[in-house]
Amino acid sequence: MRRKTTLALTTLMLLGLPAHAQKVTLELWAHWGSEQRRPTINKIIDGWNKRNPNVQVKYTFVPFDQVKTKVLAATAAGNPPDVAVMDIRTTRMRADKKQVIDLSALGADSLKSRFYANMWETGTYGGKQYSLPFVTETRFLYYNKAAFKEVGLDPNKPPTTWKQLEEYAAKLDKKQGNSYARIGFYPLYGSFGFEGWVNNAGATMWDERMENPRIDNATAVKTLEWIQSFAKRYGSRNLAAFQSSFGGGTQDPFISGRLAMYLDIGGYAATLAKYAPDMDYGIARIPTPTGKPGPMSSWGAGFVLELPAGGKHPKEAYAFAKYMATEGARIWALEQNDFPGDKAAAKAVRTEAFKKMSDNMRYTYISVAPTYAPDYDSVVKRAIDDAINSGGDAKAALGKAQEAIARTVAQNRR
């Protein structure tokens, strides 16, 4: 008993908590409630609770599509959770509205070097830190080496430029009558998206403060024209019909061999290991217009830990958030294959995919949501779909989206 008491007191002191702190219970809200996710979050919390008898953590599952609304409602009502797992892109918006606690005042700045810089910066606002990174992802080009060999491409030389993507795709296409049995590559299949390609080409669709849209900038127009060239070759109806057959597991288009090159997150390698353990494939950086990688060649999103404003135990909550963002992130990465923001936690997973993800973080852009139009992407998507389906003018389509989003920004600024 004396040994356990000594250990508990030592742990409290290491966390910066008062040695004789009154016993408290912290509330953690997050969206992980599935059979796959729940055991790991329970394991992380159990590890904390065993070491901190005076600072216990209670977990509450909130569905993903409700967690933001419920956390903000509880914060407004003066009864927020002590710690919440939130969208990495929107921390600055909550900081601007004083809905989250300043973590710099609790010592968070000393942790900065532990985390990947692009993740850390998403929680920085006005020179202060308002979140701790938890997990993110970075995207790659997956390519089928067997298909490469079949058409005479070197399986050890994946494309590095947009031009090569076009050339390789044309060789890898396989038609049956008027339809495609295999499509070599289509830029909007997978999880990269139109804005990902604009970033990949070195541009953004917002100014540096994320306040003024520039949806129809020259690079965005060229990018849409490039994607339209694929759609024109394949036919928009063929692309839509092909995509409608996509599914999970063995129905995945890359796993089933119907798509020769595919864009997805680093964690997709775990899916391939599960459903296609014998597949001969490669993982490469996403090609760029010049063939040289840049700071926005790939992109990621993810989740952070925040302390909603009004929490009753900020010091204890910060200590738990620090534990979860570091030691907890290591456990999460080992069991869930999600890439952690903590560099040391990332090194704990020794797979080739994690090594590639770690190397690719310097080429990964993690954007934050624009202040006055956080849901702008639905407007852009409609413009892209219209331009691809109609084959219409790219600049006109993006100009229309620019006008609509600019109106939203103007309205929300008032």
Side-chain angles (χ1 to χ4, degrees):
M1 178 62 74
R2 179 179 297 174
R3 185 174 180 276
K4 288 183 177 179
T5 302
T6 301
L7 178 60
L9 291 172
T10 301
T11 302
L12 287 169
M13 289 187 286
L14 288 172
L15 293 171
L17 300 176
H20 299 289
Q22 184 179 0
K23 185 173 182 178
V24 300
T25 299
L26 302 176
E27 285 272 355
L28 167 66
W29 289 11
H31 59 275
W32 296 307
S34 67
E35 291 183 2
Q36 176 190 344
R37 301 291 200 184
R38 190 62 181 257
T40 302
I41 192 66
N42 287 343
K43 182 176 183 178
I44 293 170
I45 293 171
D46 288 347
W48 167 273
N49 285 343
K50 286 178 182 176
R51 281 187 271 169
N52 300 278
N54 287 339
V55 186
Q56 295 289 285
V57 173
K58 176 186 174 186
Y59 179 64
T60 297
F61 160 67
V62 184
F64 178 73
D65 60 348
Q66 300 175 26
V67 66
K68 176 184 174 183
T69 302
K70 289 196 171 185
V71 168
L72 293 181
T75 302
N79 189 31
D82 298 280
V83 182
V85 176
M86 303 291 276
D87 175 12
I88 196 171
R89 300 180 70 242
T90 53
T91 294
R92 292 183 188 177
M93 297 175 66
R94 289 183 285 279
D96 180 63
K97 297 177 181 177
K98 303 187 186 306
Q99 294 167 330
V100 287
I101 290 176
D102 168 18
L103 302 186
S104 292
L106 295 168
D109 293 351
S110 65
L111 302 176
K112 182 176 180 179
S113 61
R114 288 196 61 131
F115 297 94
Y116 291 97
N118 45 2
M119 291 187 71
W120 181 264
E121 290 168 2
T122 62
T124 306
Y125 181 78
K128 297 178 180 178
Q129 194 65 20
Y130 289 90
S131 66
L132 297 182
F134 188 58
V135 293
T136 187
E137 72 272 303
T138 180
R139 286 161 171 77
F140 295 94
L141 175 75
Y142 291 80
Y143 64 99
N144 187 323
K145 288 188 174 183
F148 270 45
K149 294 175 186 174
E150 175 188 322
V151 301
L153 291 170
D154 186 337
N156 296 314
K157 293 183 177 179
T160 59
T161 68
W162 287 16
K163 183 66 176 175
Q164 287 178 338
L165 268 177
E166 297 174 47
E167 295 169 351
Y168 283 36
K171 289 185 177 181
L172 291 161
D173 289 342
K174 185 185 288 185
K175 291 196 77 171
Q176 285 183 340
N178 293 325
S179 60
Y180 284 87
R182 181 175 69 203
I183 280 181
F185 179 74
Y186 180 57
L188 296 186
Y189 286 162
S191 63
F192 205 56
F194 173 71
E195 189 166 359
W197 285 112
V198 175
N199 298 154
N200 174 280
T204 61
M205 298 175 77
W206 291 82
D207 65 1
E208 291 183 358
R209 294 176 59 86
M210 297 300 288
E211 292 182 353
N212 298 299
R214 45 192 185 196
I215 309 299
D216 57 348
N217 68 75
T219 301
V221 172
K222 287 184 179 179
T223 300
L224 180 51
E225 290 172 343
W226 177 66
I227 293 172
Q228 283 179 307
S229 70
F230 282 89
K232 183 177 181 180
R233 180 159 63 85
Y234 289 123
S236 59
R237 289 186 178 180
N238 280 333
L239 289 170
F242 200 77
Q243 188 170 14
S244 67
S245 66
F246 292 178
T250 56
Q251 296 303 309
D252 177 282
F254 185 70
I255 290 174
S256 65
R258 287 175 296 150
L259 194 59
M261 295 186 287
Y262 187 55
L263 302 171
D264 212 331
I265 61 175
Y268 182 64
T271 300
L272 294 174
K274 179 177 181 180
Y275 293 105
D278 298 324
M279 186 175 186
D280 187 14
Y281 70 92
I283 305 176
R285 289 203 179 100
I286 295 175
T288 64
T290 64
K292 296 180 181 178
M296 298 191 293
S297 297
S298 186
W299 71 271
F303 299 100
V304 294
L305 295 153
E306 295 177 3
L307 276 55
K312 297 178 177 62
H313 309 289
K315 193 168 186 178
E316 290 85 353
Y318 171 69
F320 173 72
K322 177 181 172 183
Y323 157 82
M324 187 164 168
T326 53
E327 189 171 341
R330 181 184 61 80
I331 297 170
W332 190 269
L334 286 166
E335 295 194 357
Q336 298 293 329
N337 277 310
D338 289 338
F339 193 78
D342 179 48
K343 297 174 189 174
K347 290 180 180 177
V349 185
R350 300 179 181 275
T351 64
E352 185 63 24
F354 256 66
K355 184 178 183 303
K356 285 183 176 294
M357 285 189 268
S358 181
D359 292 342
N360 208 45
M361 283 302 289
R362 58 182 164 153
Y363 303 122
T364 300
Y365 178 56
I366 301 177
S367 66
V368 298
T371 306
Y372 302 111
D375 300 321
Y376 74 99
D377 52 347
S378 61
V379 179
V380 175
K381 186 179 185 307
R382 282 198 297 274
I384 302 306
D385 288 346
D386 289 345
I388 288 173
N389 292 330
S390 70
D393 183 74
K395 184 170 179 56
L398 292 174
K400 187 177 178 181
Q402 167 73 22
E403 291 177 5
I405 294 169
R407 284 197 298 273
T408 299
V409 169
Q411 291 169 358
N412 291 336
R413 267 187 167 142
R414 295 171 184 164

